[in-house]
Amino acid sequence: MFEKTSEEKVLRDPIHGYIHVNLQVVWDIINSSWFQRLRRIRQLGGAYIVYHCAEHSRFGHSLGVYELVRRMVCEVPDIEKALTEKEKVTVMLAGLLHDIGHGPYSHAFEGVTKSSHETFTCRIIEENTEITRILENCCTGLSKDVADVISHECMNPLLSQLISSQLDADRFDYLLRDAYFTGTKYGEYDLERILRTMRVYDGKQLVIKESGVYAVENYIMARYHMYWQVYYHPVARSYEAILHMLFKRMKDLGLKDVDEHVIPLFYPIIAGKKISLSDYFSLDESTCEYGFAMLTKHPDPIISDLAIRIRDRKLFTYQDSLSKENKKIRNQLKENGFDLRYYWARDEVAQSPYVPYSAQGDNNIWVLMKDGRKLEMSNASNIVYSLIHGPEKDDNKVFFPEVIE
Ligand code: CA
């Protein structure tokens, strides 16, 4: 039913060895301009400023998620049996496209544009773009089916679980990939063991066999460590805070399109307008870097200073947001002429490596016990039990420029 490529295509990948493609529709999506755009967006936002090799892109991650979904639907016997041919193709495409709506600088930019990458993902798949046309040419209604898997609205819950749950292809790929490219070892875990112990319960629930519990414990710990060592690294957050302040300053000044130092693509963001898909297409990290380079010459001293800080990695330092020192530091900054609206940034993050029974619905990891019972992970693992009953770890910081005395 689905057209095959004339021969199997393989793409070399440091995490999975090879990415295998033998469906024409998958190959056409990979070669579309929207998918190629992901090469120009880094996977980890500002983390490359800390981990100098973390320059890997959303392009590689998206291919990796596709490959893991492909392996799950072809190589995990229970999943292979539970899904129709069409469902398999749909979920592979959903894996490939799940991050297509990501903008530059990852989540930092979502705060600037005030819209989530999920919203853009669904728009790009369904609003008559090149992606929509490739999917619809392959099979009428396919674009909606793919978008429904990504937004958890499809009829078969198993499909969405493969892409985003607690044990999903997205996390499986990004942990290994980000650990590899940052050079941190914490993110590694035994993927092969997890895949081997995956089963489908009742035709619609992904579960792990009891013998896979240790591999899953290790995976949960890997997430925990990667969050605190990489994703929430304070230096990366400092970079993202400056980015945020730069746009805040442009918004506050209400810059209009007569300013020769501002690239046109920034105007919809500054004006807080809904961004068109064609503008969004052009808004990648290469164009933003060009835009920031232009801003280093801006007559407004705050804009040019913040832009130079981004370009030359002259980052803000940081301190616990509850520190007694903060009042003194704020006064010092003011005395040195810093406008605290743009030179005092608060950022609070919190993360739990695994939250069962969350508000978003069934987000549990289920374990299939030898006696046939289905247990939620924290009831099958003492380590996970202690982890979820302990306090949530958070990190609240303020970021500000160093005052040289
Ligand atoms: Ca992802």
Side-chain angles (χ1 to χ4, degrees):
M1 167 183 178
F2 288 93
E3 189 191 340
K4 294 269 198 294
T5 51
S6 52
E7 56 177 2
E8 186 179 59
K9 315 278 186 191
V10 285
L11 313 172
R12 275 186 196 270
D13 183 83
I15 309 305
H16 306 299
Y18 285 114
I19 312 277
H20 301 80
V21 180
N22 65 8
L23 287 164
Q24 189 61 41
V25 62
V26 170
W27 191 239
D28 290 344
I29 293 284
I30 292 172
N31 289 310
S32 69
S33 56
W34 272 101
F35 196 80
Q36 293 290 321
R37 164 186 167 273
L38 296 177
R39 290 182 188 269
R40 302 188 291 275
I41 294 175
R42 292 185 191 91
Q43 167 74 2
L44 287 184
Y48 79 101
I49 221 82
V50 185
Y51 297 96
H52 62 260
C53 284
E55 295 266 3
H56 56 304
S57 68
R58 294 262 163 208
F59 181 84
H61 165 62
S62 299
L63 288 174
V65 175
Y66 153 80
E67 174 64 13
L68 283 177
V69 176
R70 189 198 65 75
R71 286 192 61 197
M72 287 195 236
V73 302
C74 297
E75 294 173 17
V76 176
D78 265 19
I79 303 177
E80 204 273 319
K81 271 180 262 152
L83 301 180
T84 65
E85 189 60 29
K86 174 149 189 232
E87 285 174 324
K88 286 177 193 167
V89 175
T90 306
V91 74
M92 282 193 266
L93 287 164
L96 190 65
L97 289 167
H98 80 287
D99 272 350
I100 197 78
H102 259 288
Y105 305 103
S106 193
H107 301 283
F109 229 71
E110 293 181 330
V112 171
T113 60
K114 300 269 186 284
S115 36
S116 72
H117 72 270
E118 287 95 350
T119 312
F120 279 110
T121 294
C122 289
R123 285 178 66 191
I124 293 162
I125 294 173
E126 293 191 280
E127 282 187 16
N128 199 25
T129 62
E130 188 186 2
I131 300 281
T132 322
R133 288 190 292 276
I134 292 169
L135 296 174
E136 290 301 310
N137 279 343
C138 170
C139 173
T140 308
L142 188 56
S143 58
K144 184 174 186 320
D145 291 346
V146 170
D148 283 352
V149 174
I150 296 172
S151 56
H152 283 249
E153 279 162 26
C154 76
M155 300 298 279
N156 186 346
L158 188 57
L159 300 183
S160 298
Q161 288 168 32
L162 294 176
I163 306 295
S164 85
S165 52
Q166 290 280 343
L167 278 178
D168 58 66
D170 184 21
R171 289 174 199 200
F172 286 163
D173 183 80
Y174 77 61
L175 284 178
L176 293 177
R177 191 170 298 277
D178 298 344
Y180 177 88
F181 283 102
T182 52
T184 53
K185 299 283 177 194
Y186 327 99
E188 289 174 9
Y189 64 93
D190 194 348
L191 170 68
E192 295 306 316
R193 182 73 191 157
I194 294 181
L195 292 180
R196 184 161 283 277
T197 54
M198 262 188 172
R199 296 291 182 273
V200 176
Y201 187 87
D202 238 5
K204 56 181 191 301
Q205 178 65 55
L206 218 50
V207 296
I208 285 292
K209 262 175 69 178
E210 193 177 350
S211 58
V213 161
Y214 303 109
V216 175
E217 286 174 345
N218 188 216
Y219 155 85
I220 290 173
M221 291 310 290
R223 276 194 76 205
Y224 174 80
H225 289 139
M226 284 299 282
Y227 265 91
W228 293 108
Q229 282 287 304
V230 177
Y231 306 138
Y232 290 158
H233 196 292
V235 175
R237 282 156 63 202
S238 166
Y239 180 83
E240 292 169 0
I242 298 173
L243 208 74
H244 201 92
M245 288 304 185
L246 178 61
F247 277 94
K248 180 174 153 67
R249 178 65 178 168
M250 289 194 282
K251 277 182 188 173
D252 289 353
L253 290 181
L255 297 184
K256 297 265 166 24
D257 41 88
V258 283
D259 193 320
E260 56 177 325
H261 295 95
V262 180
I263 61 168
L265 275 173
F266 286 166
Y267 285 117
I269 304 171
I270 295 169
K273 288 194 185 130
K274 185 177 174 183
I275 301 172
S276 71
L277 285 185
S278 69
D279 278 350
Y280 198 69
F281 176 81
S282 304
L283 199 63
D284 56 42
E285 289 177 9
S286 315
T287 46
C288 280
E289 274 165 18
Y290 171 67
F292 300 152
M294 300 277 287
L295 292 174
T296 62
K297 306 259 167 44
H298 199 279
D300 177 69
I302 295 178
I303 290 183
S304 57
D305 176 63
L306 294 172
I308 289 168
R309 286 175 179 279
I310 290 171
R311 187 191 64 191
D312 299 343
R313 198 185 182 276
K314 298 285 177 271
L315 303 180
F316 289 176
T317 185
Y318 49 86
Q319 173 90 275
D320 194 295
S321 62
L322 296 174
S323 165
K324 289 196 182 73
E325 296 276 287
N326 286 348
K327 207 170 165 206
K328 198 180 105 200
I329 298 170
R330 284 173 65 92
N331 285 334
Q332 261 179 351
L333 287 165
K334 275 191 241 169
E335 279 162 23
N336 282 271
F338 287 107
D339 183 338
L340 293 187
R341 287 176 299 169
Y342 310 105
Y343 290 95
W344 185 262
R346 198 178 279 277
D347 182 45
E348 305 181 338
V349 289
Q351 206 269 337
S352 300
Y354 167 58
V355 187
Y357 310 111
S358 73
Q360 292 100 43
D362 189 356
N363 221 1
N364 299 337
I365 297 176
W366 292 103
V367 180
L368 182 63
M369 306 303 284
K370 286 194 189 79
D371 60 13
R373 282 178 308 148
K374 190 180 80 165
L375 287 187
E376 185 275 313
M377 181 70 188
S378 64
N379 295 322
S381 155
N382 288 340
I383 288 182
V384 175
Y385 182 88
S386 340
L387 207 59
I388 69 164
H389 288 88
E392 187 186 54
K393 182 171 159 59
D394 58 12
D395 185 40
N396 305 324
K397 283 197 163 49
V398 283
F399 297 88
F400 50 88
E402 212 143 8
V403 178
I404 301 141
E405 291 184 79

